[in-house]
Amino acid sequence: MKDRSDVPTFFVYGEPSRALDVGFLHVETVMERKSLHFGRVAPHKHPFMGQVTYWFAGGGRYQVEDRTWNFSAPAISFVPSNVVHGFDVGEQSDAIVVSISDDLLRAIGPQVDLALDAPVLIAGEAGAPGWSRIGALLDMVMEEYRGGAAASERMLASLVGAVLSLMARLGGNVGFEAASPVVALGLDLRRAIDRHYREDWPVGRYVERLATTPHLLDKAARTVFGQTVKEMVLERRLLEAKRLLRFTIRPMEDIGREIGFEDPAYFSRFFRKRMGLSPTDWRRQNSEAAGAG
């Protein structure tokens, strides 16, 4: 397999990677982009989002990291962000693809039964009860998403959460770890940052916690996520700040303390430097909580 530095990164297939809105979710079928890939998608990755792919017709070959499967519908996969994947399918094949930002996955993670830090691929038999339910749920996801402005973000998140839990019931927790040790260390680092980003740990504390070396940890962070360890921590704090600003009415100083900034002025400077707006102005433009009032 090519060096990971050569693996393409996409927003959705064929579009350059970019920053995602808080709570981002995107739904389409594989064949909606047929003119770009003609059924063959070379190995690639998505830096900021995971994907559920439900093959409801046809079959082909699916690749995740260094492992390859031949499959036929129905089949479903979950691939976390920064895990390399691709496929080669026949003309009659199609799938529903749900792309979910990392922050939304973190939000729904405690309510779902599937582990969301490792890739999973499951195949089954058409008409089996569990698969019929997954198909029905993803049809509902597609219908709700295509409702445009009338679509409910909460309903979409709930439906996707139900799909992920059904995947676990179908055997999805018998998944596989990413093949590369560098990828595995990168994913371990992300899990550690999720647990401890509020505590303002120095990089050395993460090195100690993961029983590695500064060089190896920096290599994993840069290779898998394209960031230093420190940048990953700051980006995680920013994501949590945006989530709290958008979906709650908590005061600024409370949000700053929640993500590890005891000084409200320091939190405001941190946020403005990264977003180009003060926390107050960003909330005014983006807040669901404010809009609901």
Side-chain angles (χ1 to χ4, degrees), residues 9 59 137 219 223 228 233-234 241 280 283:
T9 60
L137 282 167
K219 179 181 178 182
T223 300
T228 66
V233 174
L234 293 176
T280 300
R283 169 180 267 175

Side-chain angles (χ1 to χ4, degrees), residues 38-117:
F38 301 101
R40 184 171 188 173
V41 170
H44 65 284
K45 60 182 179 176
H46 306 283
F48 307 111
M49 66 188 186
Q51 284 187 326
V52 173
T53 304
Y54 170 60
W55 295 95
F56 58 85
R61 185 176 64 180
Y62 200 81
Q63 178 181 351
V64 179
E65 292 294 338
D66 293 324
R67 299 182 64 177
T68 303
W69 293 261
N70 293 319
F71 74 92
S72 57
I76 190 166
S77 66
F78 171 73
V79 178
S81 60
N82 290 291
V83 170
V84 177
H85 59 288
F87 57 81
D88 188 350
V89 298
E91 292 184 3
Q92 304 306 313
S93 300
D94 206 357
I96 294 173
V97 182
V98 183
S99 302
I100 316 149
S101 63
D102 282 343
D103 73 285
L104 182 55
L105 284 170
R106 290 187 185 100
I108 67 176
Q111 285 77 51
V112 306
D113 297 325
L114 187 74
L116 300 179
D117 54 6

Side-chain angles (χ1 to χ4, degrees), residues 21-26 48 98-111 116 153-154 156-158 160 164 239 243 247:
D21 296 333
V22 175
F24 171 86
L25 189 145
H26 178 269
F48 307 111
V98 183
S99 302
I100 316 149
S101 63
D102 282 343
D103 73 285
L104 182 55
L105 284 170
R106 290 187 185 100
I108 67 176
Q111 285 77 51
L116 300 179
E153 292 183 9
R154 291 181 181 178
L156 283 166
S158 296
V160 171
L164 292 167
L239 275 172
R243 183 194 298 168
F247 297 110

